[in-house]
Amino acid sequence: MVTRGGTDPQSGPVRSWLPLTAGLLAVVVGALWTVQGLGYVPGSLMTGDRIGVVVGPVVLLTGLLVLWRALAARRR
C-alpha cells in the first residue's frame, strides 16, 4: 500500500527507527532493573527485590538482540 508521500509503510522511516528505539529502551530498562534488584539504587521500590535480578538481564539481552537485528536490517 502506498501512502501520501509515496512511501511504503513497510519500508518507511518508522520501520527503521522503531526497533532501534524499542531495543535501546529495553537495554536501559533491563540494566536499571538489574541494578535495582542487586540493591545499587537506594530508595526504589524494587531495591533488593530478586525479581529484578532475574527479569532485568532477560530484558537487557532481549533489547540487545532487537538492536542487533535492527542494525543488521538497516545494513541490507
Side-chain angles (χ1 to χ4, degrees):
M1 176 176 160
V2 176
T3 61
R4 195 170 37 141
T7 60
D8 185 3
Q10 295 299 321
S11 63
V14 171
R15 187 171 169 115
S16 66
W17 65 261
L18 188 61
L20 291 173
T21 304
L24 184 59
L25 181 64
V27 168
V28 170
V29 169
L32 179 63
W33 286 352
T34 302
V35 296
Q36 282 178 332
L38 292 172
Y40 292 120
V41 180
S44 169
L45 292 175
M46 286 181 58
T47 299
D49 191 3
R50 292 292 174 206
I51 193 74
V53 176
V54 175
V55 175
V58 172
V59 172
L60 188 137
L61 291 174
T62 302
L64 287 174
L65 178 65
V66 169
L67 278 174
W68 177 70
R69 290 188 58 161
L71 289 172
R74 286 180 67 131
R75 288 187 194 116
R76 284 189 262 150

